[in-house]
Amino acid sequence: MEEAWSTPILHVDMDAFFVEVERRLRPDLRGLPVIVGGLGRRGVVASCSYEARARGVHSAMPMAQARRLCPQAEFIPPTMARYQEYSVKVFTVLRSFTHRVEPLSVDEAFLDVTGLRLHHADPQAVAVAIRKRIREELELPASVGIAPNKFLAKLASDRAKPDGLFSVAAQQVRQFLDPLPVRALWGVGEATHAALEGLGVETVGDLEAVPLAALTTRLGPAVAQHLEALARGEDPRRVEPGGDAKSMSVEQTFAHDISGRSRVEAELLAQSDRVATRLRSAGVAARTIAIKVRYAPFETITRSVTPGTAVDTARDIYRLTRELVGRVEVDRPIRLIGVAASQLVDNDQPRQLGLLEPGQVEVAPDGSGAWGDLADAVEDVRNRFGDRAVGPARLAGAPDVSDPDRMYGPGG
């Protein structure tokens, strides 16, 4: 029994998450190459099906390149609110098995299932049950890696893809690791890989055979010790249970650079609206609001503010972003704007009341009040009639302003 539970860490990773959510709603897309991402001139791939990956497409690739590689694909703009909705459902399933769930993104998490040994024969039985629940309840595929620690579980889930399960037993660690390319180890980027090649290292097994002193001379003590431990399959990190995402954000890369305070504020209003929708659907509020601005030469700056109380309505978020935009240059060519909400707290936590601004309506400590009621009403309409059914009046008739179907981010 104890030997069976020597691999209690699971890494659950939803396969091509954005694509599979789209297929869940459009079954005609199944079996076809599908690419989700920004469709504009500067758009990038957020998620792609395995049919598209077989043709060389991958996440973060410029959309123009993806179109050249796979012109027959179905190209779909992302709908972030929809993906967030399904993410909440996925994590609800995971937490129905154990509270020890550490989210990594909207579509992957580590689980420590040690506490389930009285309910399941072994961790593999837990993984089978999780995949079955996700498939039956959400009609989505998930891959699961099982291993003694987080590092190995992540590598195992990569091996399990697509839509599979792979387990690395404690006594199989060397057999599993040694043939892998050294780039599979966390922290091996271009420079480190070049240094390791100079030592004749191509695989993890090669690295494990290099004396620590030689690694230290070439890479420095911190990196050398880190890689030596990983090459042995060691990872002392614990699964750290937490809320869902530690932050929520949206951003827009423009087909043509924009400038001017009025245009920038219109973008911030649209993005504040989207962030607020995601916060409220997840039942959280944000203590910190930030904006990101990327200028034409790829210079990126961020500005943030932490108000006296957590916020979750578009009105409050937009008010804060307008304050922040006063601290950036808006007359330079801007290629990207983003709004982020972080330090998330449960929506039912008490909130401190601040002094009212002119014309501001009082809000109760639980976030209710006129503006909260309005946000609830907007959310109800969108749930019934779609994300575009209602929105800020300032954005009416402004088709170039960002909307949820043009947002993009990582998605499997």
Side-chain angles (χ1 to χ4, degrees):
M1 180 70 171
E2 288 302 318
E3 183 177 347
W5 285 91
S6 63
T7 54
I9 307 302
L10 273 56
H11 180 255
V12 179
D13 197 356
M14 305 302 295
D15 295 319
F17 184 52
F18 293 0
V19 167
E20 292 300 334
V21 171
E22 297 293 343
R23 285 175 165 173
R24 167 76 171 76
L25 303 172
R26 284 188 55 190
D28 60 295
L29 295 175
R30 291 172 183 163
L32 301 177
V34 178
I35 300 174
V36 175
L39 303 187
R41 183 167 60 92
R42 292 172 174 169
V44 298
V45 175
S47 180
C48 56
S49 69
Y50 285 88
E51 294 85 355
R53 295 182 193 193
R55 292 165 172 82
V57 181
H58 58 78
S59 296
M61 171 182 286
M63 188 62 75
Q65 183 180 357
R67 289 184 184 277
R68 289 194 297 270
L69 291 171
C70 194
Q72 69 273 43
E74 291 281 343
F75 293 87
I76 300 175
T79 308
M80 297 308 298
R82 181 183 300 158
Y83 307 145
Q84 179 66 31
E85 173 190 349
Y86 275 87
S87 174
V88 170
K89 293 178 180 179
V90 168
F91 278 93
T92 297
V93 171
L94 299 183
R95 291 191 177 104
S96 71
F97 284 85
T98 175
H99 72 283
R100 299 196 64 80
V101 177
E102 179 181 341
L104 300 180
S105 67
V106 295
D107 63 344
E108 63 176 319
F110 286 116
L111 283 71
D112 184 339
V113 298
T114 306
L116 301 181
R117 63 180 62 211
L118 298 180
H119 306 282
H120 296 270
D122 52 38
Q124 184 158 329
V126 180
V128 169
I130 287 174
R131 293 183 67 241
K132 184 172 184 288
R133 281 273 305 279
I134 292 175
R135 173 65 74 177
E136 290 181 349
E137 295 183 13
L138 305 181
E139 300 181 29
L140 296 174
S143 294
V144 181
I146 311 167
N149 58 50
K150 292 164 71 171
F151 164 61
L152 293 170
K154 178 66 170 71
L155 291 179
S157 70
D158 289 341
R159 178 73 66 87
K161 286 180 173 294
D163 194 18
L165 185 154
F166 190 85
S167 179
V168 179
Q171 64 272 22
Q172 298 173 330
V173 171
R174 289 261 53 86
Q175 178 184 347
F176 173 64
L177 277 180
D178 283 355
L180 295 179
V182 72
R183 283 199 174 213
L185 301 182
W186 291 343
V188 178
E190 294 290 341
T192 302
H193 185 248
L196 291 173
E197 282 187 321
L199 293 172
V201 172
E202 295 183 359
T203 68
V204 176
D206 294 338
L207 176 63
E208 206 270 336
V210 176
L212 178 60
L215 285 178
T216 300
T217 299
R218 185 63 64 96
L219 303 173
V223 175
Q225 292 171 17
H226 166 74
L227 294 182
E228 185 192 47
L230 292 184
R232 293 196 303 264
E234 298 175 0
D235 181 6
R237 298 173 304 153
R238 300 166 60 91
V239 172
E240 300 291 346
D244 291 309
K246 293 181 174 60
S247 65
M248 293 184 183
S249 63
V250 296
E251 61 184 41
Q252 177 65 40
T253 299
F254 307 110
H256 303 282
D257 296 338
I258 70 168
S259 63
R261 187 177 182 100
S262 177
R263 181 71 169 87
V264 169
E265 287 186 351
E267 285 291 340
L268 291 174
L269 175 58
Q271 294 186 12
S272 297
D273 186 49
R274 301 320 310 165
V275 170
T277 297
R278 293 176 62 186
L279 289 172
R280 295 177 71 83
S281 66
V284 295
R287 293 193 181 279
T288 297
I289 297 296
I291 64 172
K292 177 167 72 171
V293 176
R294 179 171 298 154
Y295 297 107
F298 290 97
E299 174 192 353
T300 303
I301 64 171
T302 60
R303 298 289 184 266
S304 65
V305 62
T306 300
T309 185
V311 296
D312 68 348
T313 66
R315 178 182 184 274
D316 287 334
I317 296 172
Y318 175 55
R319 175 174 55 82
L320 295 171
T321 63
R322 287 189 67 198
E323 294 176 7
L324 294 172
V325 83
R327 294 159 52 189
V328 303
E329 297 179 72
V330 294
D331 293 326
R332 294 174 57 187
I334 295 171
R335 62 183 293 123
L336 176 147
I337 290 177
V339 173
S342 59
Q343 296 194 66
L344 306 185
V345 297
D346 290 340
N347 229 344
D348 56 2
Q349 288 190 14
R351 305 190 202 172
Q352 178 180 344
L353 294 179
L355 296 176
L356 297 181
E357 298 178 354
Q360 184 175 352
V361 179
E362 181 66 272
V363 179
D366 64 355
S368 62
W371 292 108
D373 291 344
L374 176 60
D376 289 339
V378 168
E379 185 176 348
D380 288 342
V381 172
R382 287 174 172 167
N383 288 338
R384 294 180 60 190
F385 302 108
D387 290 337
R388 297 186 179 185
V390 62
R394 177 175 176 177
L395 303 182
D400 291 335
V401 175
S402 61
D403 62 53
D405 289 345
R406 295 200 286 133
M407 304 295 178
Y408 53 82

